[in-house]
Amino acid sequence: GALALVDQTQKLDLAPDAIMCSTAMSACEQGSQWERALQLLRWMPHETLQPDYVIFSIAICSSARSMKCSEALELFNEVHASKVKATVRALAATVTACEIADSG
């Protein structure tokens, strides 16, 4: 799938792009692989790719979907500090993850 594409890109020494990364991260989110989504987020700057609001939103939602409140909050704070415009979806996912964590 999408993660295999990222791996193949690296093996073939091809330049990745933000669309490929966001697609792979969305696959991670859908597959409850929040750690892999965060790895891709952290890998992007090494490939001279700057995460935008879409990328951060996917990472936040992936963390939130896996009930990882602290990771979602950390990412949301990172978005705020970087001046990337946060999405309503990212904010809602962060709040929901924290509410679930607090009630559990």
Side-chain angles (χ1 to χ4, degrees):
L3 293 175
L5 177 64
V6 172
D7 291 336
Q8 277 300 104
T9 301
Q10 290 175 314
K11 288 177 186 173
L12 297 172
D13 201 28
L14 299 173
D17 63 14
I19 294 170
M20 183 191 72
C21 290
S22 66
T23 301
M25 288 177 67
S26 290
C28 292
E29 177 187 359
Q30 296 302 314
S32 299
Q33 297 180 24
W34 66 273
E35 293 110 337
R36 183 72 168 126
L38 294 184
Q39 286 175 341
L40 287 167
L41 175 69
R42 300 300 176 218
W43 170 77
M44 288 181 68
H46 298 287
E47 297 296 321
T48 65
L49 295 170
Q50 292 304 314
D52 61 8
Y53 70 94
V54 172
I55 297 289
F56 273 113
S57 292
I58 293 168
I60 290 168
C61 291
S62 180
S63 297
R65 181 178 272 203
S66 296
M67 312 312 170
K68 302 298 179 186
C69 176
S70 62
E71 286 82 359
L73 278 172
E74 182 179 315
L75 287 166
F76 196 81
N77 286 332
E78 193 174 326
V79 169
H80 183 69
S82 71
K83 306 295 187 228
V84 171
K85 185 176 180 178
T87 64
V88 172
R89 180 176 178 240
L91 177 59
T94 304
V95 170
T96 300
C98 293
E99 285 177 342
I100 291 169
D102 285 344
S103 67

Coordinates of all heavy atoms in Angstrom, one line a residue:
G1 N 0.8 -1.2 0.0 CA 0.0 0.0 0.0 C 0.9 1.3 0.0 O 2.0 1.3 -0.5
A2 N 0.3 2.3 0.6 CA 1.0 3.6 0.7 C 2.3 3.6 1.4 O 3.2 4.2 1.0 CB 0.0 4.6 1.3
L3 N 2.4 2.8 2.5 CA 3.7 2.7 3.2 C 4.7 2.0 2.4 O 5.9 2.4 2.4 CB 3.5 2.0 4.5 CG 2.6 2.7 5.5 CD1 2.4 1.9 6.8 CD2 3.2 4.1 5.9
A4 N 4.4 1.0 1.6 CA 5.3 0.4 0.7 C 5.8 1.3 -0.3 O 7.0 1.3 -0.7 CB 4.7 -0.8 0.1
L5 N 5.0 2.2 -0.8 CA 5.4 3.2 -1.7 C 6.5 4.1 -1.2 O 7.5 4.4 -1.8 CB 4.2 4.1 -2.2 CG 4.5 5.2 -3.1 CD1 5.0 4.7 -4.5 CD2 3.3 6.1 -3.4
V6 N 6.4 4.5 0.1 CA 7.4 5.4 0.7 C 8.7 4.6 0.8 O 9.8 5.1 0.5 CB 6.9 5.8 2.1 CG1 8.0 6.5 2.9 CG2 5.7 6.7 2.0
D7 N 8.6 3.3 1.2 CA 9.8 2.5 1.3 C 10.5 2.3 0.0 O 11.7 2.4 -0.1 CB 9.4 1.1 1.9 CG 9.0 1.2 3.4 OD1 9.4 2.2 4.1 OD2 8.3 0.3 3.9
Q8 N 9.7 2.1 -1.1 CA 10.2 2.0 -2.4 C 10.9 3.2 -2.9 O 12.0 3.2 -3.5 CB 9.2 1.5 -3.4 CG 8.9 0.1 -3.4 CD 10.1 -0.7 -3.8 OE1 10.7 -1.3 -2.9 NE2 10.5 -0.8 -5.0
T9 N 10.3 4.4 -2.5 CA 10.9 5.7 -2.9 C 12.3 5.8 -2.3 O 13.2 6.2 -3.0 CB 10.0 6.8 -2.5 OG1 8.7 6.6 -3.1 CG2 10.5 8.2 -2.8
Q10 N 12.4 5.4 -1.1 CA 13.7 5.5 -0.4 C 14.7 4.6 -1.0 O 15.8 4.9 -1.3 CB 13.5 5.2 1.1 CG 12.8 6.3 1.9 CD 12.6 5.9 3.3 OE1 12.1 4.8 3.6 NE2 12.8 6.8 4.2
K11 N 14.3 3.3 -1.3 CA 15.2 2.4 -1.9 C 15.7 2.8 -3.3 O 16.8 2.5 -3.7 CB 14.5 1.0 -1.9 CG 14.3 0.3 -0.6 CD 13.6 -1.0 -0.7 CE 13.3 -1.5 0.7 NZ 12.4 -2.7 0.6
L12 N 14.8 3.4 -4.0 CA 15.1 3.8 -5.4 C 15.8 5.2 -5.5 O 16.1 5.7 -6.5 CB 13.9 3.8 -6.3 CG 13.2 2.4 -6.5 CD1 11.9 2.6 -7.2 CD2 14.2 1.5 -7.2
D13 N 16.0 5.8 -4.3 CA 16.6 7.1 -4.2 C 15.8 8.2 -5.0 O 16.4 9.0 -5.7 CB 18.0 7.1 -4.6 CG 18.8 8.2 -4.1 OD1 18.5 8.8 -3.0 OD2 19.8 8.6 -4.7
L14 N 14.5 8.1 -4.9 CA 13.6 9.1 -5.6 C 13.2 10.1 -4.6 O 13.1 9.9 -3.4 CB 12.4 8.4 -6.2 CG 12.6 7.3 -7.2 CD1 11.3 6.6 -7.6 CD2 13.2 8.0 -8.5
A15 N 12.9 11.3 -5.1 CA 12.5 12.4 -4.2 C 11.0 12.3 -3.8 O 10.2 12.3 -4.7 CB 12.8 13.7 -4.9
P16 N 10.7 12.1 -2.5 CA 9.3 12.1 -2.1 C 8.7 13.5 -2.2 O 9.4 14.5 -2.3 CB 9.4 11.6 -0.7 CG 10.7 12.1 -0.2 CD 11.7 12.1 -1.4
D17 N 7.4 13.5 -2.2 CA 6.7 14.8 -2.1 C 5.6 14.8 -1.0 O 5.4 13.7 -0.4 CB 6.1 15.2 -3.5 CG 5.0 14.2 -4.0 OD1 4.5 13.4 -3.2 OD2 4.7 14.3 -5.2
A18 N 5.1 15.9 -0.8 CA 4.1 16.1 0.3 C 2.9 15.2 0.1 O 2.3 14.7 1.0 CB 3.7 17.5 0.5
I19 N 2.4 15.1 -1.2 CA 1.2 14.3 -1.5 C 1.5 12.8 -1.1 O 0.6 12.2 -0.5 CB 0.8 14.5 -3.0 CG1 0.4 15.9 -3.2 CG2 -0.3 13.5 -3.3 CD1 0.2 16.3 -4.6
M20 N 2.6 12.3 -1.5 CA 2.9 10.9 -1.2 C 3.0 10.8 0.3 O 2.4 9.8 0.9 CB 4.3 10.6 -1.8 CG 4.6 9.1 -1.5 SD 6.3 8.7 -1.9 CE 7.2 9.5 -0.6
C21 N 3.6 11.7 1.1 CA 3.6 11.6 2.5 C 2.3 11.7 3.2 O 1.9 10.9 4.1 CB 4.5 12.7 3.1 SG 6.3 12.4 2.7
S22 N 1.4 12.6 2.7 CA 0.1 12.7 3.3 C -0.7 11.5 3.0 O -1.5 11.0 3.8 CB -0.6 14.0 2.8 OG -0.9 13.9 1.4
T23 N -0.6 10.9 1.8 CA -1.3 9.7 1.5 C -0.9 8.5 2.4 O -1.7 7.8 2.9 CB -1.1 9.3 0.0 OG1 -1.5 10.4 -0.8 CG2 -1.8 8.0 -0.4
A24 N 0.4 8.4 2.6 CA 1.0 7.3 3.4 C 0.5 7.5 4.9 O 0.1 6.6 5.6 CB 2.5 7.3 3.4
M25 N 0.5 8.8 5.3 CA 0.1 9.1 6.7 C -1.4 8.8 6.9 O -1.8 8.3 7.9 CB 0.5 10.5 7.1 CG 1.9 10.7 7.3 SD 2.4 12.4 7.6 CE 1.6 12.6 9.2
S26 N -2.2 9.1 5.9 CA -3.6 8.8 5.9 C -3.8 7.3 6.1 O -4.7 6.8 6.8 CB -4.3 9.3 4.7 OG -4.4 10.7 4.7
A27 N -3.0 6.5 5.3 CA -3.1 5.1 5.4 C -2.8 4.6 6.8 O -3.4 3.7 7.4 CB -2.2 4.4 4.4
C28 N -1.8 5.2 7.4 CA -1.4 4.9 8.8 C -2.6 5.3 9.8 O -2.9 4.5 10.7 CB -0.2 5.7 9.2 SG 1.3 5.2 8.4
E29 N -3.2 6.4 9.6 CA -4.3 6.8 10.4 C -5.4 5.8 10.3 O -6.0 5.3 11.3 CB -4.8 8.2 10.0 CG -6.0 8.6 10.8 CD -6.7 9.9 10.3 OE1 -6.2 10.5 9.3 OE2 -7.7 10.3 10.9
Q30 N -5.8 5.4 9.1 CA -6.8 4.4 8.9 C -6.5 3.1 9.4 O -7.4 2.3 9.9 CB -7.2 4.3 7.4 CG -7.7 5.6 6.7 CD -8.9 6.1 7.4 OE1 -9.9 5.3 7.7 NE2 -9.0 7.4 7.7
G31 N -5.2 2.7 9.5 CA -4.8 1.4 10.0 C -4.4 1.5 11.4 O -3.8 0.5 11.9
S32 N -4.7 2.5 12.1 CA -4.3 2.7 13.6 C -2.8 2.5 13.8 O -2.4 2.0 14.8 CB -5.1 1.7 14.4 OG -6.5 2.0 14.3
Q33 N -2.0 3.0 12.9 CA -0.6 3.0 13.1 C 0.0 4.4 13.3 O 0.7 4.9 12.6 CB 0.1 2.4 11.8 CG -0.3 1.0 11.5 CD 0.3 0.5 10.2 OE1 1.4 1.0 9.8 NE2 -0.3 -0.5 9.6
W34 N -0.4 4.9 14.5 CA -0.1 6.3 14.8 C 1.4 6.5 14.9 O 1.9 7.6 14.5 CB -0.8 6.8 16.1 CG -0.4 6.1 17.3 CD1 -0.9 4.9 17.8 CD2 0.6 6.5 18.2 NE1 -0.2 4.6 18.9 CE2 0.7 5.5 19.2 CE3 1.5 7.6 18.2 CZ2 1.6 5.6 20.3 CZ3 2.4 7.7 19.3 CH2 2.5 6.7 20.3
E35 N 2.1 5.5 15.4 CA 3.6 5.6 15.5 C 4.2 5.8 14.2 O 5.1 6.6 14.0 CB 4.2 4.4 16.2 CG 3.8 4.3 17.7 CD 2.9 3.1 17.9 OE1 2.3 2.6 16.9 OE2 2.9 2.6 19.0
R36 N 3.8 5.1 13.2 CA 4.3 5.2 11.8 C 4.0 6.5 11.2 O 4.8 7.1 10.5 CB 3.8 4.0 11.0 CG 4.3 4.0 9.6 CD 5.8 3.5 9.6 NE 6.2 3.2 8.2 CZ 7.2 3.8 7.6 NH1 8.0 4.6 8.2 NH2 7.5 3.5 6.3
A37 N 2.8 7.0 11.5 CA 2.4 8.4 11.0 C 3.3 9.4 11.5 O 3.8 10.3 10.8 CB 1.0 8.7 11.3
L38 N 3.7 9.3 12.8 CA 4.6 10.3 13.4 C 6.0 10.1 12.9 O 6.7 11.1 12.7 CB 4.6 10.1 15.0 CG 3.3 10.5 15.7 CD1 3.4 10.4 17.2 CD2 2.8 11.9 15.3
Q39 N 6.4 8.9 12.6 CA 7.7 8.7 12.0 C 7.8 9.4 10.7 O 8.8 10.0 10.4 CB 8.0 7.2 11.8 CG 8.3 6.4 13.1 CD 8.5 4.9 12.8 OE1 8.0 4.4 11.8 NE2 9.1 4.2 13.8
L40 N 6.8 9.3 9.9 CA 6.7 9.9 8.6 C 6.8 11.5 8.7 O 7.5 12.1 8.0 CB 5.5 9.5 7.8 CG 5.5 8.1 7.2 CD1 4.2 7.7 6.7 CD2 6.6 8.0 6.1
L41 N 6.0 12.0 9.7 CA 6.1 13.4 10.0 C 7.5 13.9 10.3 O 8.0 14.9 9.8 CB 5.1 13.7 11.1 CG 5.1 15.2 11.6 CD1 4.5 16.1 10.6 CD2 4.4 15.3 12.9
R42 N 8.2 13.1 11.2 CA 9.5 13.5 11.6 C 10.5 13.2 10.5 O 11.6 13.9 10.5 CB 9.9 12.7 12.9 CG 9.0 12.9 14.0 CD 9.0 14.4 14.5 NE 8.0 14.6 15.6 CZ 7.3 15.6 15.7 NH1 7.3 16.6 14.8 NH2 6.4 15.7 16.7
W43 N 10.3 12.4 9.6 CA 11.1 12.0 8.5 C 11.1 13.1 7.4 O 12.1 13.4 6.8 CB 10.7 10.7 7.9 CG 11.3 10.3 6.6 CD1 12.6 9.8 6.4 CD2 10.8 10.3 5.3 NE1 12.8 9.5 5.1 CE2 11.7 9.8 4.4 CE3 9.5 10.7 4.8 CZ2 11.4 9.7 3.0 CZ3 9.3 10.6 3.5 CH2 10.2 10.1 2.6
M44 N 10.0 13.8 7.3 CA 9.8 14.8 6.2 C 10.9 15.9 6.1 O 11.5 16.1 5.1 CB 8.4 15.4 6.2 CG 7.3 14.5 5.8 SD 5.7 15.3 5.9 CE 5.9 16.4 4.6
P45 N 11.3 16.5 7.2 CA 12.3 17.6 7.1 C 13.6 17.1 6.7 O 14.4 17.8 6.0 CB 12.4 18.1 8.6 CG 11.0 17.8 9.2 CD 10.6 16.5 8.5
H46 N 13.9 15.8 6.9 CA 15.2 15.2 6.5 C 15.2 15.1 4.9 O 16.3 14.9 4.3 CB 15.4 13.8 7.1 CG 15.6 13.9 8.6 ND1 16.7 14.4 9.2 CD2 14.7 13.5 9.6 CE1 16.5 14.4 10.5 NE2 15.3 13.9 10.8
E47 N 14.0 15.1 4.4 CA 13.9 15.0 2.9 C 13.6 16.4 2.3 O 13.1 16.5 1.2 CB 12.8 14.0 2.5 CG 13.0 12.6 3.0 CD 14.2 12.0 2.3 OE1 14.4 12.3 1.1 OE2 15.0 11.3 2.9
T48 N 13.8 17.4 3.1 CA 13.6 18.8 2.8 C 12.1 19.1 2.4 O 11.8 19.9 1.6 CB 14.5 19.3 1.6 OG1 14.2 18.6 0.4 CG2 15.9 19.2 2.0
L49 N 11.2 18.4 3.1 CA 9.8 18.6 3.0 C 9.3 19.2 4.3 O 9.6 18.8 5.4 CB 9.0 17.3 2.8 CG 9.3 16.6 1.5 CD1 8.7 15.2 1.5 CD2 8.8 17.4 0.3
Q50 N 8.5 20.3 4.2 CA 8.0 21.0 5.3 C 6.5 20.6 5.5 O 5.7 20.8 4.6 CB 8.1 22.5 5.2 CG 9.5 23.0 5.2 CD 10.2 22.6 6.4 OE1 9.7 22.7 7.5 NE2 11.5 22.2 6.3
P51 N 6.2 20.0 6.7 CA 4.8 19.6 7.0 C 3.9 20.8 6.9 O 4.3 21.9 7.5 CB 4.9 19.0 8.3 CG 6.3 18.7 8.6 CD 7.1 19.7 7.8
D52 N 2.8 20.7 6.3 CA 1.8 21.8 6.3 C 0.6 21.4 7.2 O 0.7 20.4 7.9 CB 1.3 22.0 4.8 CG 0.7 20.8 4.2 OD1 0.4 19.8 4.8 OD2 0.4 20.9 2.9
Y53 N -0.4 22.2 7.1 CA -1.6 21.9 8.0 C -2.2 20.6 7.7 O -2.7 20.0 8.6 CB -2.6 23.1 7.9 CG -3.4 23.2 6.6 CD1 -4.6 22.6 6.5 CD2 -2.9 23.8 5.5 CE1 -5.3 22.6 5.3 CE2 -3.6 23.9 4.3 CZ -4.8 23.3 4.2 OH -5.5 23.4 3.1
V54 N -2.2 20.1 6.5 CA -2.8 18.8 6.1 C -2.0 17.7 6.8 O -2.6 16.8 7.5 CB -2.9 18.6 4.6 CG1 -3.3 17.2 4.3 CG2 -3.8 19.6 4.0
I55 N -0.7 17.8 6.7 CA 0.2 16.8 7.3 C 0.0 16.7 8.8 O -0.1 15.7 9.4 CB 1.6 17.0 6.9 CG1 1.8 16.9 5.4 CG2 2.6 16.1 7.6 CD1 1.7 15.5 4.8
F56 N 0.1 17.9 9.4 CA -0.1 18.0 10.9 C -1.5 17.5 11.3 O -1.6 16.8 12.3 CB 0.1 19.4 11.4 CG 1.6 19.7 11.7 CD1 2.3 20.6 10.9 CD2 2.2 19.1 12.7 CE1 3.6 20.9 11.2 CE2 3.6 19.4 13.0 CZ 4.2 20.3 12.3
S57 N -2.5 17.8 10.5 CA -3.9 17.4 10.9 C -4.0 15.8 10.8 O -4.6 15.2 11.7 CB -4.9 18.0 9.9 OG -5.0 19.4 10.1
I58 N -3.4 15.2 9.8 CA -3.4 13.8 9.7 C -2.6 13.2 10.9 O -3.1 12.2 11.5 CB -2.8 13.3 8.4 CG1 -3.6 13.8 7.2 CG2 -2.6 11.8 8.4 CD1 -3.0 13.6 5.9
A59 N -1.5 13.7 11.3 CA -0.7 13.2 12.4 C -1.5 13.3 13.7 O -1.5 12.4 14.5 CB 0.6 13.9 12.5
I60 N -2.1 14.5 13.9 CA -2.9 14.7 15.1 C -4.1 13.8 15.2 O -4.3 13.1 16.2 CB -3.4 16.2 15.2 CG1 -2.2 17.1 15.5 CG2 -4.5 16.3 16.3 CD1 -2.5 18.6 15.3
C61 N -4.8 13.6 14.1 CA -6.0 12.7 14.0 C -5.6 11.3 14.2 O -6.3 10.5 14.9 CB -6.7 12.9 12.7 SG -7.6 14.5 12.6
S62 N -4.4 10.9 13.7 CA -3.9 9.6 13.8 C -3.6 9.3 15.3 O -4.0 8.2 15.9 CB -2.7 9.3 13.0 OG -2.2 8.1 13.2
S63 N -3.0 10.2 16.0 CA -2.7 10.1 17.4 C -4.0 10.0 18.2 O -4.2 9.2 19.1 CB -1.8 11.2 17.9 OG -0.6 11.2 17.3
A64 N -4.9 10.9 17.9 CA -6.2 11.0 18.6 C -7.0 9.8 18.4 O -7.6 9.3 19.4 CB -7.0 12.3 18.1
R65 N -7.0 9.3 17.2 CA -7.8 8.0 16.9 C -7.3 6.9 17.8 O -8.1 6.0 18.1 CB -7.7 7.7 15.4 CG -8.5 6.5 15.1 CD -8.4 6.2 13.6 NE -9.4 7.0 13.0 CZ -9.9 6.7 11.8 NH1 -9.5 5.7 11.1 NH2 -10.9 7.4 11.3
S66 N -6.0 6.9 18.1 CA -5.4 5.8 18.9 C -5.4 6.2 20.4 O -4.7 5.5 21.2 CB -4.0 5.5 18.4 OG -4.0 5.0 17.1
M67 N -6.2 7.2 20.7 CA -6.3 7.7 22.1 C -5.0 8.1 22.8 O -4.8 8.0 23.9 CB -6.9 6.6 23.0 CG -8.2 5.9 22.5 SD -9.4 7.0 21.9 CE -10.5 5.7 21.1
K68 N -4.2 8.7 22.0 CA -2.9 9.2 22.4 C -3.0 10.7 22.7 O -2.5 11.5 21.9 CB -1.8 8.8 21.5 CG -1.6 7.4 21.2 CD -1.3 6.6 22.4 CE -1.1 5.1 22.2 NZ -0.9 4.4 23.4
C69 N -3.6 11.1 23.8 CA -3.8 12.5 24.1 C -2.5 13.3 24.2 O -2.5 14.4 23.6 CB -4.6 12.6 25.4 SG -4.9 14.3 26.0
S70 N -1.5 12.8 24.9 CA -0.3 13.6 25.0 C 0.4 13.8 23.7 O 0.9 14.9 23.4 CB 0.7 12.9 26.0 OG 1.1 11.7 25.5
E71 N 0.4 12.8 22.8 CA 1.0 13.0 21.5 C 0.2 14.0 20.6 O 0.7 14.9 20.0 CB 1.1 11.7 20.7 CG 2.2 10.8 21.2 CD 1.8 10.0 22.5 OE1 0.6 10.1 23.0 OE2 2.6 9.2 23.0
A72 N -1.2 13.9 20.7 CA -2.0 14.8 20.0 C -1.8 16.3 20.5 O -1.7 17.2 19.7 CB -3.5 14.4 20.1
L73 N -1.7 16.4 21.8 CA -1.5 17.8 22.3 C -0.1 18.3 21.9 O 0.0 19.5 21.6 CB -1.6 17.7 23.9 CG -3.0 17.8 24.4 CD1 -3.0 17.6 25.9 CD2 -3.7 19.1 24.1
E74 N 0.9 17.5 22.0 CA 2.2 17.9 21.6 C 2.3 18.3 20.2 O 2.8 19.4 19.8 CB 3.2 16.7 21.8 CG 4.6 17.1 21.5 CD 5.6 15.9 21.7 OE1 5.4 15.2 22.8 OE2 6.4 15.6 20.9
L75 N 1.6 17.6 19.3 CA 1.6 18.0 17.9 C 0.8 19.3 17.7 O 1.2 20.1 16.9 CB 0.9 16.8 17.0 CG 1.8 15.6 16.8 CD1 1.0 14.5 16.3 CD2 3.0 15.9 15.9
F76 N -0.3 19.4 18.4 CA -1.1 20.6 18.2 C -0.3 21.8 18.7 O -0.3 22.9 18.1 CB -2.4 20.5 19.0 CG -3.4 21.6 18.6 CD1 -4.2 21.4 17.5 CD2 -3.5 22.7 19.4 CE1 -5.1 22.4 17.1 CE2 -4.4 23.7 19.0 CZ -5.2 23.5 17.8
N77 N 0.4 21.7 19.8 CA 1.3 22.8 20.2 C 2.4 23.0 19.2 O 2.8 24.2 19.0 CB 1.9 22.4 21.6 CG 0.9 22.5 22.7 OD1 -0.1 23.3 22.6 ND2 1.1 21.7 23.8
E78 N 2.9 22.0 18.6 CA 3.9 22.2 17.6 C 3.4 23.0 16.4 O 4.0 23.8 15.8 CB 4.4 20.8 17.1 CG 5.7 20.8 16.3 CD 6.2 19.4 16.0 OE1 6.1 18.5 16.9 OE2 6.7 19.3 14.9
V79 N 2.1 22.7 16.0 CA 1.5 23.4 14.9 C 1.4 24.9 15.3 O 1.7 25.8 14.5 CB 0.1 22.9 14.6 CG1 -0.7 23.8 13.7 CG2 0.2 21.5 14.0
H80 N 0.9 25.1 16.5 CA 0.8 26.5 17.0 C 2.1 27.3 17.0 O 2.2 28.4 16.5 CB 0.1 26.5 18.4 CG -0.1 27.9 18.9 ND1 -1.1 28.7 18.4 CD2 0.5 28.6 19.9 CE1 -1.0 29.9 19.0 NE2 -0.1 29.8 20.0
A81 N 3.2 26.6 17.5 CA 4.5 27.2 17.5 C 5.1 27.5 16.1 O 5.8 28.4 15.9 CB 5.4 26.4 18.3
S82 N 4.7 26.6 15.2 CA 5.3 26.7 13.8 C 4.5 27.7 13.0 O 4.9 28.0 11.8 CB 5.3 25.4 13.1 OG 4.0 25.0 12.8
K83 N 3.4 28.2 13.4 CA 2.6 29.2 12.7 C 1.9 28.6 11.5 O 1.3 29.2 10.7 CB 3.4 30.4 12.2 CG 4.2 31.1 13.3 CD 3.3 31.8 14.3 CE 4.1 32.6 15.2 NZ 3.8 32.4 16.6
V84 N 1.8 27.2 11.5 CA 1.0 26.5 10.5 C -0.4 26.6 11.0 O -0.7 26.5 12.2 CB 1.4 25.0 10.4 CG1 0.5 24.3 9.5 CG2 2.8 24.9 9.8
K85 N -1.3 26.9 10.1 CA -2.7 27.1 10.5 C -3.3 25.7 10.8 O -3.4 24.8 10.0 CB -3.5 27.8 9.4 CG -4.9 28.1 9.8 CD -5.6 28.8 8.7 CE -7.0 29.1 9.1 NZ -7.8 29.9 8.1
A86 N -3.8 25.6 12.0 CA -4.4 24.3 12.5 C -5.8 24.2 11.9 O -6.5 25.2 11.6 CB -4.5 24.2 14.0
T87 N -6.3 23.0 11.6 CA -7.6 22.8 11.1 C -8.6 22.5 12.3 O -8.2 22.1 13.4 CB -7.7 21.6 10.1 OG1 -7.4 20.4 10.9 CG2 -6.7 21.8 9.0
V88 N -9.9 22.7 12.0 CA -10.9 22.4 13.0 C -10.9 20.9 13.3 O -11.0 20.5 14.5 CB -12.3 22.9 12.5 CG1 -13.4 22.4 13.4 CG2 -12.3 24.4 12.3
R89 N -10.7 20.1 12.3 CA -10.6 18.7 12.5 C -9.5 18.3 13.5 O -9.7 17.4 14.3 CB -10.4 18.0 11.1 CG -10.3 16.5 11.2 CD -10.2 15.8 9.8 NE -10.1 14.4 9.9 CZ -9.1 13.7 9.5 NH1 -8.1 14.3 8.9 NH2 -9.0 12.4 9.7
A90 N -8.3 18.9 13.3 CA -7.2 18.6 14.2 C -7.5 19.0 15.6 O -7.3 18.3 16.6 CB -6.0 19.3 13.7
L91 N -8.1 20.2 15.8 CA -8.5 20.7 17.1 C -9.5 19.7 17.8 O -9.4 19.3 18.9 CB -9.0 22.1 17.1 CG -9.5 22.7 18.4 CD1 -8.4 22.7 19.5 CD2 -10.1 24.1 18.2
A92 N -10.6 19.4 17.0 CA -11.6 18.5 17.5 C -11.0 17.1 17.9 O -11.4 16.6 18.9 CB -12.7 18.4 16.5
A93 N -10.1 16.6 17.1 CA -9.5 15.3 17.4 C -8.7 15.4 18.6 O -8.7 14.4 19.4 CB -8.7 14.9 16.2
T94 N -8.0 16.5 18.8 CA -7.2 16.6 20.0 C -8.1 16.7 21.3 O -7.8 16.0 22.3 CB -6.3 17.9 19.9 OG1 -5.5 17.8 18.8 CG2 -5.4 18.1 21.2
V95 N -9.1 17.5 21.2 CA -10.0 17.6 22.3 C -10.7 16.2 22.6 O -10.7 15.8 23.8 CB -11.1 18.7 22.1 CG1 -12.2 18.7 23.1 CG2 -10.4 20.0 22.0
T96 N -11.1 15.5 21.6 CA -11.8 14.3 21.8 C -10.8 13.2 22.4 O -11.2 12.5 23.3 CB -12.3 13.7 20.5 OG1 -13.3 14.7 19.9 CG2 -13.0 12.4 20.6
A97 N -9.6 13.2 21.9 CA -8.6 12.2 22.5 C -8.4 12.5 24.0 O -8.3 11.6 24.8 CB -7.3 12.3 21.7
C98 N -8.3 13.8 24.3 CA -8.1 14.2 25.7 C -9.3 13.9 26.6 O -9.2 13.4 27.7 CB -7.7 15.6 25.8 SG -6.0 15.9 25.1
E99 N -10.5 14.1 26.1 CA -11.7 13.8 26.8 C -11.8 12.3 27.1 O -12.1 11.8 28.2 CB -12.9 14.2 26.0 CG -13.2 15.7 26.0 CD -14.4 16.1 25.2 OE1 -14.9 15.3 24.4 OE2 -14.8 17.2 25.4
I100 N -11.5 11.4 26.1 CA -11.5 10.0 26.2 C -10.5 9.6 27.3 O -10.7 8.7 28.1 CB -11.3 9.3 24.9 CG1 -12.6 9.5 24.0 CG2 -11.1 7.8 25.1 CD1 -12.4 9.1 22.6
A101 N -9.3 10.1 27.2 CA -8.2 9.8 28.1 C -8.6 10.2 29.5 O -8.3 9.4 30.5 CB -6.9 10.5 27.7
D102 N -9.2 11.3 29.7 CA -9.6 11.8 31.0 C -10.7 10.9 31.6 O -10.8 10.7 32.8 CB -10.1 13.2 31.0 CG -8.9 14.2 30.9 OD1 -7.8 13.8 31.1 OD2 -9.2 15.3 30.5
S103 N -11.6 10.4 30.8 CA -12.7 9.6 31.3 C -12.3 8.1 31.5 O -13.1 7.4 32.1 CB -13.9 9.7 30.3 OG -13.6 9.0 29.1
G104 N -11.2 7.7 30.9 CA -10.8 6.3 31.0 C -10.0 6.0 32.2 O -10.0 5.6 33.2

